[in-house]
Amino acid sequence: MKAVVYEGPRQVSTKDVPDAKIERPTDVLVRVTTTNICGSDLHMYEGRTSFEVGRTFGHENMGEVIEVGSGVEKVRVGDRVVLPFNISCGFCKNCERGLTNYCLTTQPEPSFAGAAYGFADMGPYGGGQAELLRVPFGDHNALRLGEDAEERENDYVMLSDIFPTGYHATEMAGVVPGDSVVIAGAGPVGLMAALSAMIKGAAKVMVVDRHPDRLALAEQIGAIAIDDSKVDPVQAVLDETMGLGADRGCECVGYQAHDPQGNEDTAATLNMLINSVRFTGGIGTVGVFVPQDPGGKDDLARQGKAAIDFGTHWFKGQTMGSGQAPVKRYNRQLRDLIAAGKATPSWIVSHEISLDQAADAYKNFDARSKGWTKVLIKPGMSTEKKAS
C-alpha cells in the first residue's frame, strides 16, 4: 500500500510499505478515504519528537471497513466509520471512567498512558496517511456513520480529533451559555474550540492569532478576531469584557508558541490566558506540551518546563484543565450535530490532495503558507488531480 513516511526533519515521502492487515481477532481493517494533516503532526515533522524514521504519519482517519476479525461483533464490512485518534481498549481502569485518552492497555510502555495512530511515544501503531489502516478493538474504536457519510465526509473526518479536541478545551474551561471566551490560536483546533463555544451558547468568542486567513475563518462564525501582531491581546480582551477579563480561556497552540517576531516562548499563550481570563475563570489547555523538548530554546524548555505566571493564576483563583481529548466522550454527540446540520466543521478546509502530494502539503502547512488552513488527504484521489 502507499503511505506517507517520515524520512527525517522536514522530510516525508509517499512510498510503498507492507499492507496493513488484521493481526488480532478484535481488529478491523479500513480502506482509508480521508485522512488529515494535523498541527500535531508538525511537531514530529520538524524533528521535535522521538518519532522514528520510516514510520507512517496520520491520526485523523476515516474510511470504509473492508475486513473484520473473528472477534468483532458490531462493525460490519461496508460500514463507513471515523476513528478516534486515541486507540483504547474500553475495559481498563481509565477507559471505564471515560478517559480513553489515557488507556492503560494499548500503551506498551508501563510508565505511560494513552495510544494513537502514527504518533510519537503513543505506541507502535501505524498511521492512517495510507491506503489501509488496522484498527485495534474495532467494535470499541470505530464510530459508525449514517447514509450521509460520503456526502459529509469532510465534516465527519473532523470527529477523529480536532472537533472533539476543540470541544474538550471548552469542557475543561467550563464554558456555559452566556460566557465570554478567549481562544489562543486560530489553527484548526482553535477554530474548532471557537465553533464549540458557539454551539454551547457563548455570548462572545474572541480568537487570538496573527495569520489573517485563519482569523478570517474565525470571523465567519461570528468570533471576534484579535491580531496580536497589531494589538496587545490581553488589553484587547479586557476592552471587550469591561475590564474584567473573559470568563473562560482555551489554549490551542502548545509548546511551540512564539511571539509575533518569531521568538519561541513555551509559556506565551498560557500567560496570555492567565492574564486575560477573569478572577475565578477557567482555562482548558489542549495544545500539545511535552515532558522534554530537545529542540527547546533554553534549558527550561528542553526539560519540558514553562515559566508560567503561576502567582497570578493562583491569586486569581483560576482553574486549569489540560491533556489530550478523550475523543469517544464527545464524538457520538458531535456526529449527530453534523448529521442534523447544526455543525459544519469542514468550513476550515482549504486543500484536498492525493497521497502523492503530501510532501508539498506538509511543507506549506508547516510554513503556515497563506491559505493553507486545513489539509485533507484523499488516498483514492487521482494523482493527476490538482489540489483544490
Side-chain angles (χ1 to χ4, degrees):
M1 67 178 185
K2 285 187 176 182
V4 179
V5 176
Y6 177 61
E7 304 282 14
R10 289 188 164 88
Q11 289 185 309
V12 297
S13 64
T14 302
K15 59 173 57 176
D16 289 330
V17 302
D19 284 351
K21 61 183 181 180
I22 298 288
E23 297 180 17
R24 301 181 65 179
T26 50
D27 288 349
V28 163
L29 187 64
V30 171
R31 176 181 63 83
V32 179
T33 54
T34 301
T35 175
N36 305 340
I37 298 178
C38 178
S40 298
D41 290 326
L42 297 182
H43 302 305
M44 297 176 287
Y45 174 73
E46 294 171 4
R48 296 285 288 265
T49 69
S50 60
F51 199 73
E52 305 94 333
V53 171
R55 284 192 68 187
T56 301
F57 280 136
H59 59 271
E60 298 187 8
N61 310 307
M62 72 174 294
E64 180 183 2
V65 176
I66 60 171
E67 185 179 351
V68 299
S70 60
V72 174
E73 298 287 338
K74 179 180 68 174
V75 176
R76 295 285 182 264
V77 171
D79 284 348
R80 292 275 178 160
V81 296
V82 61
L83 296 319
F85 79 89
N86 321 115
I87 304 174
S88 55
C89 67
F91 54 76
C92 73
K93 182 175 183 178
N94 284 345
C95 284
E96 285 183 346
R97 296 177 177 181
L99 301 172
T100 53
N101 45 336
Y102 295 112
C103 178
L104 300 170
T105 303
T106 52
Q107 169 56 256
E109 170 54 55
S111 62
F112 294 176
Y117 302 99
F119 209 93
D121 298 321
M122 298 195 73
Y125 307 97
Q129 290 176 12
E131 294 176 313
L132 301 172
L133 179 67
R134 172 195 168 225
V135 179
F137 300 106
D139 276 338
H140 170 69
N141 284 304
L143 179 67
R144 294 179 296 174
L145 302 170
E147 294 180 355
D148 61 351
E150 292 184 68
E151 175 190 351
R152 294 182 169 173
E153 181 147 340
N154 289 0
D155 291 312
Y156 285 127
V157 72
M158 304 305 177
L159 296 172
S160 60
D161 180 357
I162 62 169
F163 193 7
T165 293
Y167 196 88
H168 186 53
T170 65
E171 282 284 288
M172 291 192 295
V175 175
V176 296
D179 273 348
S180 57
V181 184
V182 55
I183 295 166
V189 170
L191 292 170
M192 291 298 111
L195 175 62
S196 298
M198 295 289 186
I199 289 169
K200 287 185 163 196
K204 180 175 289 190
V205 178
M206 299 156 281
V207 180
V208 179
D209 204 295
R210 64 194 64 120
H211 295 280
D213 51 346
R214 296 182 173 195
L215 289 171
L217 288 172
E219 289 180 319
Q220 284 182 23
I221 59 169
I224 297 168
I226 297 175
D227 186 337
D228 69 351
S229 70
K230 297 179 179 179
V231 299
D232 176 355
V234 173
Q235 188 59 52
V237 173
L238 294 175
D239 290 344
E240 289 283 351
T241 56
M242 298 183 293
L244 297 173
D247 297 302
R248 313 291 170 185
C250 299
E251 201 291 326
C252 302
V253 177
Y255 73 106
Q256 289 182 254
H258 53 277
D259 64 22
Q261 290 71 46
N263 302 306
E264 191 168 304
D265 179 0
T266 300
T269 48
L270 290 171
N271 287 335
M272 186 275 288
L273 291 172
I274 288 169
N275 287 284
S276 60
V277 170
R278 67 187 299 161
F279 280 75
T280 72
I283 298 170
T285 303
V286 293
V288 173
F289 289 83
V290 292
Q292 55 186 12
D293 173 23
K297 66 165 188 172
D298 53 34
D299 287 341
L300 201 64
R302 284 189 283 274
Q303 295 175 65
K305 298 177 181 178
I308 69 168
D309 295 339
F310 187 75
T312 302
H313 174 64
W314 184 93
F315 182 68
K316 295 175 79 171
Q318 297 168 337
T319 58
M320 184 183 294
S322 63
Q324 294 181 341
V327 171
K328 281 185 63 64
R329 183 181 296 176
Y330 312 117
N331 64 353
R332 192 176 296 268
Q333 66 199 62
L334 297 179
R335 175 199 64 185
D336 293 346
L337 285 176
I338 292 172
K342 303 295 185 181
T344 310
S346 64
W347 106 93
I348 69 170
V349 174
S350 59
H351 293 75
E352 298 179 35
I353 65 167
S354 69
L355 279 170
D356 289 329
Q357 296 168 310
D360 180 66
Y362 265 97
K363 184 182 300 182
N364 279 286
F365 192 51
D366 182 52
R368 277 66 170 176
S369 297
K370 183 178 180 181
W372 287 76
T373 53
K374 187 62 176 177
V375 182
L376 276 54
I377 299 175
K378 306 280 187 175
M381 179 182 288
S382 169
T383 306
E384 287 76 26
K385 185 175 180 179
K386 294 182 180 179
S388 60

